[in-house]
Amino acid sequence: MNIYPHLDGRRAALDLRCSTSRQTGTSIFDQDKIGKAFCRANGLTIVKTFKQEGVTASVPGARTDFDDIIRHKREHDDFDVLVLTDISRFTRAGIKHGMNVEYELEREGIEVVFATTALPAGEDGDLVKPAYYFAAKMWIKTLAPAIARGMMSAFESGGMAHCNVPPHGLDFMYTIDGKPSHITRLLPDGRQLKLHVDAMGKKPKPKHILQTFPKNPKKAKSLHYRKQANEKIVLVPGDPDALATVVLIFTLFFKHDWGSRRIAVELNDRGIGAPRGGLWSAVSVDYILQNKVYLGTGMTNMKTRAVHAARNPISPKIRKHSPKVLAERRKHLPLEIRPRNEWHEKTYPLLLRLLDPDLRPLAAKYIERSLDRKAGIAANPQRRRRPRHPDSDYLLTGLLTSKQGGYTMGGYSTYARDKRYRLYSITKFRTSPIRDALLTRRIKADPLEAAVLRATSEIFAQAPDMTAALEKAIKAEQKTRSRDNRERSEMVIERDEIREEYQDLLGLGKHGREIARQKIQQCERRLEELESRIASADRHTGAAHKPADQARAIVAELAGVVRRLDKMPNALLKRLAAVLISRIEIDLETLEFELELTLPSWAIIDAMALKNTLRLEHGLHMQTGRETQQHDRRFVMGRFACTASGKPICFDCQRLRHAA
């Protein structure tokens, strides 16, 4: 471990990064352990840990941790040393990127040190660092072609399939020295079964199930079966019900001339689950219809996001990208469709007869035409693209939910005779259609939005009566945040200890995790609470503001909003709805709606922030009413239910029509 005397007694932040989500449970954990050991050895106090999981260091534009570090430094100024495990955690993009980032950090008063890379201090270190940055980049550039060559060799020799996840209705079969060993089948709920080879193309009996693997957690190491070095893998027929669904899709499309959307409606109406659970959509149907694997041929090397080298049959294809492309803000490089002559095919003999003989030529012609379109050989049909709405005038999109099922609703437009009709409907069933007249009902947007604005005005008109309750809520919030500020260091220590305990519990085997499930849930709940309180302490406490003055200022601002509500531009109305509406629910049968308006915790603690937000100041990123953490306080301004108000707010409800 490197020892630097000049670091003793200073405050540090850890920067932890791994290239893939599967490395989170191992790489991030190891980096955290090394970083803490380095800080203990050098007398550093850790005040903050920055994590970036599943992000490559070869693409500068994918990195957001440096922006977070600089922003935190400017807002809190609670550390002056940034600790990383080694040079490759810092950058693999070369000398220019490494020196540029280090200079930007030094401008903010942040010194960068590496726990396992011994570098001289001062300007001598600046002299040798470029060589390390260059070496980190060249190491990955040298490694990339070898990885691409190994993957291509494994694909050609049968060491890997053309896909990472088996398509719907198919399984992976593993063989050793040409003899079948076992089969793995992915279930719609994310679990995986390890089956005896006798279960190929059949429903497994209890004696066929050799092992069951749980669903993979997000951003963590895979818990599914890992292929062994001496095993080869091929695709074989899987669940018979899923295969019957695939055949049905091809039959309806080619023999009955049904479209993808109509097929999706039929499958959902029959209660047939989609490949990964849930409902079918036209997109998932098209994916099956255009997949050549159902003709017995797997396609690979069609697309790539490779940074340095891509797979190729003869030798890896070296790729070069301009600094502009690498610096663009995105997690991955743009997906690139490779030329058709670089595509590679693999035949799976057991899949050659999945479709009936009369369907195969029709499907083959259709699939080849779709592949030519993807490769740019055949022109794509001219379709009228639906316009995108970055400045949509739908006030309640993403806020409105249905009483039946609690589904999120969104706005969309239809046109007839050059007239526009604004509507709301459940967004899920526009992409995954069903035959439920109630859940697919469309609500007229104009009268609904007008009714919501009238109900909002009624609640705002009662603002003067809220002053005493608002002042009390502000005092409670100030007290909570002040206490959290004083206890922040203790909370950080407790959080780190619980994190270590949580990692140990997750490291137990399957049976161990089952036994410790209650303890794991307790750790998760406590971690969530601590993270929320620490985040609350990091924000402005508002202690300098008098609660009475804050309450009067907020009431005055809300009263001003009422006066100009009907004159507000659409963009400001959308901001108002996003910040203040915590719940709005509509009954799809009677069209009665319920509305709840709340002030988020940051709004009651700082009246000026609320004022700026409601007046659409640019560059502000405030939590909305729905984004406020569950442990934060929310001040409920009022609730409205058109069934109980006794006023003519309802815009189109059947109750009033029946009364008439």
Side-chain angles (χ1 to χ4, degrees):
M1 194 66 65
N2 301 323
I3 303 298
Y4 299 99
H6 72 287
L7 299 179
D8 188 28
R10 295 169 66 180
R11 297 171 299 173
L14 299 182
D15 189 14
L16 315 177
R17 182 200 62 79
C18 63
S19 298
T20 64
S21 298
R22 289 187 175 185
Q23 296 174 326
T24 301
T26 54
S27 179
I28 293 291
F29 178 75
D30 292 341
Q31 291 177 51
D32 184 63
K33 184 168 60 175
I34 293 172
K36 288 179 178 177
F38 174 84
C39 291
R40 285 195 298 269
N42 286 273
L44 287 165
T45 301
I46 300 174
V47 298
K48 182 70 176 176
T49 299
F50 299 93
K51 292 183 181 180
Q52 198 164 28
E53 302 166 353
V55 177
T56 175
S58 300
V59 182
R63 304 290 296 274
T64 60
D65 50 341
F66 298 131
D67 294 336
D68 296 337
I69 290 166
I70 291 175
R71 187 183 306 111
H72 185 87
K73 173 68 173 177
R74 289 174 178 173
E75 293 177 357
H76 303 281
D77 195 21
D78 54 359
F79 71 96
D80 54 5
V81 178
L82 182 66
V83 177
L84 297 100
T85 306
D86 55 48
I87 293 286
S88 67
R89 299 299 104 190
F90 189 66
T91 182
R92 289 177 181 170
I95 298 173
K96 294 179 181 178
H97 179 248
M99 298 306 291
N100 178 64
V101 173
E102 191 170 353
Y103 177 71
E104 292 296 326
L105 293 173
E106 287 185 357
R107 283 179 55 187
E108 303 295 333
I110 303 172
E111 180 183 354
V112 181
V113 295
F114 304 100
T116 60
T117 306
L119 294 172
E123 295 183 351
D124 292 343
D126 295 338
L127 180 64
V128 300
K129 280 179 184 177
Y132 281 93
Y133 294 146
F134 178 77
K137 180 179 180 180
M138 295 310 295
W139 176 77
I140 197 65
K141 286 189 69 173
T142 304
L143 188 63
I147 294 174
R149 183 168 55 250
M151 292 178 67
M152 194 66 212
S153 176
F155 174 74
E156 292 177 330
S157 65
M160 61 182 290
H162 78 284
C163 53
N164 294 325
V165 178
H168 188 51
L170 304 181
D171 292 341
F172 283 150
M173 183 172 74
Y174 299 82
T175 63
I176 301 176
D177 297 331
K179 297 180 180 180
S181 171
H182 63 274
I183 290 171
T184 58
R185 179 172 299 174
L186 187 62
L187 301 179
D189 60 6
R191 292 179 299 145
Q192 186 189 53
L193 299 179
K194 181 180 178 182
L195 304 174
H196 192 274
V197 291
D198 290 344
M200 182 175 64
K202 303 176 183 176
K203 286 287 185 182
K205 297 179 180 179
K207 65 178 181 179
H208 293 147
I209 301 176
L210 306 178
Q211 193 173 356
T212 302
F213 298 93
K215 180 181 179 180
N216 281 331
K218 292 183 178 180
K219 295 185 178 180
K221 186 177 179 181
S222 173
L223 301 177
H224 286 181
Y225 179 79
R226 291 180 65 89
K227 189 186 82 67
Q228 304 304 304
N230 62 335
E231 293 178 336
K232 294 188 177 182
I233 184 170
V234 294
L235 280 168
V236 298
D239 184 87
D241 291 343
L243 283 177
T245 302
V246 170
V247 174
L248 175 63
I249 289 173
F250 278 93
T251 302
L252 293 176
F253 188 81
F254 291 108
K255 287 190 175 182
H256 299 278
D257 293 327
W258 284 25
S260 303
R261 182 179 177 85
R262 186 179 178 185
I263 294 174
V265 172
E266 179 68 20
L267 296 176
N268 292 331
D269 193 45
R270 294 189 184 188
I272 299 174
R276 301 295 173 257
L279 297 174
W280 287 87
S281 67
V283 174
S284 54
V285 171
D286 282 334
Y287 177 79
I288 288 177
L289 290 170
Q290 298 172 11
N291 198 335
K292 200 172 181 179
V293 74
Y294 295 111
L295 298 177
T297 303
M299 306 288 296
T300 189
N301 294 0
M302 295 174 61
K303 299 173 283 190
T304 183
R305 278 196 174 102
V307 180
H308 297 298
R311 294 181 310 198
N312 217 37
I314 300 176
S315 63
K317 184 178 180 181
I318 304 302
R319 292 170 54 80
K320 294 183 180 180
H321 303 279
S322 68
K324 181 180 179 181
V325 171
L326 293 175
E328 289 179 354
R329 282 295 180 195
R330 55 164 69 94
K331 190 172 182 179
H332 302 287
L333 291 178
L335 187 65
E336 179 183 320
I337 304 296
R338 302 178 64 176
R340 186 71 189 267
N341 60 357
E342 295 181 5
W343 295 7
H344 198 69
E345 298 185 354
K346 181 175 182 177
T347 301
Y348 298 105
L350 294 176
L351 304 183
L352 291 175
R353 296 184 179 180
L354 286 182
L355 300 181
D356 296 336
D358 55 340
L359 284 176
R360 286 183 59 82
L362 299 174
K365 184 178 179 180
Y366 178 79
I367 291 173
E368 285 300 322
R369 192 162 58 244
S370 67
L371 292 176
D372 286 342
R373 284 199 301 268
K374 289 179 182 179
I377 299 174
N380 286 313
Q382 294 296 323
R383 296 180 180 178
R384 181 182 176 184
R385 294 185 176 273
R386 295 179 63 184
R388 301 297 179 185
H389 299 285
D391 300 320
S392 169
D393 58 351
Y394 290 94
L395 306 182
L396 305 177
T397 291
L399 300 174
L400 184 65
T401 59
S402 64
K403 185 175 182 179
Q404 291 80 5
Y407 296 108
T408 301
M409 303 182 70
Y412 74 105
S413 302
T414 60
Y415 297 86
R417 298 179 182 178
D418 297 327
K419 184 177 180 181
R420 180 192 181 200
Y421 294 90
R422 299 174 64 250
L423 304 165
Y424 284 101
S425 68
I426 296 175
T427 54
K428 176 178 181 179
F429 300 125
R430 293 210 298 268
T431 56
S432 301
I434 60 173
R435 283 198 183 95
D436 190 312
L438 188 60
L439 293 179
T440 55
R441 184 173 186 178
R442 299 179 295 179
I443 311 297
K444 293 180 180 179
D446 294 330
L448 172 60
E449 291 172 354
V452 170
L453 290 178
R454 289 197 297 270
T456 302
S457 297
E458 282 195 2
I459 295 174
F460 279 11
Q462 301 170 7
D465 301 332
M466 308 176 193
T467 307
L470 187 56
E471 182 179 350
K472 183 179 179 181
I474 293 171
K475 289 180 180 178
E477 182 67 19
Q478 287 181 342
K479 184 177 180 181
T480 300
R481 295 196 178 197
S482 177
R483 184 187 71 244
D484 286 346
N485 258 347
R486 292 194 303 269
E487 300 174 355
R488 186 187 185 285
S489 58
E490 290 83 357
M491 288 191 296
V492 169
I493 294 173
E494 182 182 356
R495 180 199 63 186
D496 292 342
E497 291 176 349
I498 294 178
R499 277 181 178 174
E500 292 180 1
E501 181 182 2
Y502 184 61
Q503 290 292 340
D504 292 339
L505 292 172
L506 292 181
L508 299 173
K510 176 184 176 182
H511 298 292
R513 284 195 299 272
E514 288 293 331
I515 296 173
R517 175 179 293 179
Q518 185 176 0
K519 184 64 176 177
I520 290 175
Q521 292 174 348
Q522 291 175 355
C523 288
E524 289 174 344
R525 286 195 295 267
R526 184 57 178 163
L527 276 174
E528 183 181 3
E529 180 182 354
L530 288 172
E531 291 285 3
S532 176
R533 292 182 61 189
I534 291 171
S536 176
D538 288 340
R539 295 193 293 269
H540 177 56
T541 63
H545 304 301
K546 294 181 179 180
D549 296 340
Q550 286 287 99
R552 285 192 293 269
I554 291 173
V555 168
E557 182 59 32
L558 294 177
V561 169
V562 174
R563 289 193 296 270
R564 61 180 189 272
L565 196 61
D566 57 343
K567 301 177 182 178
M568 281 187 179
N570 185 70
L572 190 51
L573 284 175
K574 288 181 67 177
R575 172 65 67 91
L576 181 73
V579 170
L580 299 181
I581 294 179
S582 58
R583 187 178 74 88
I584 176 169
E585 183 180 84
I586 186 167
D587 189 319
L588 296 176
E589 186 173 5
T590 64
L591 301 187
E592 300 165 348
F593 71 89
E594 298 180 7
L595 175 69
E596 180 183 80
L597 299 183
T598 61
L599 285 173
S601 58
W602 58 264
I604 66 173
I605 205 71
D606 189 354
M608 184 56 66
L610 176 64
K611 180 178 180 181
N612 290 337
T613 302
L614 297 185
R615 296 184 181 182
L616 207 60
E617 290 290 328
H618 295 291
L620 291 172
H621 301 283
M622 300 294 188
Q623 286 182 317
T624 66
R626 290 195 169 192
E627 292 171 340
T628 302
Q629 297 292 332
Q630 61 177 345
H631 299 293
D632 287 353
R633 299 173 186 270
R634 292 185 305 169
F635 179 76
V636 179
M637 292 188 293
R639 298 182 178 90
F640 176 87
C642 68
T643 56
S645 67
K647 298 182 180 180
I649 287 290
C650 298
F651 63 98
D652 191 23
C653 80
Q654 292 180 358
R655 174 172 49 80
L656 293 185
R657 288 207 300 271
H658 291 163

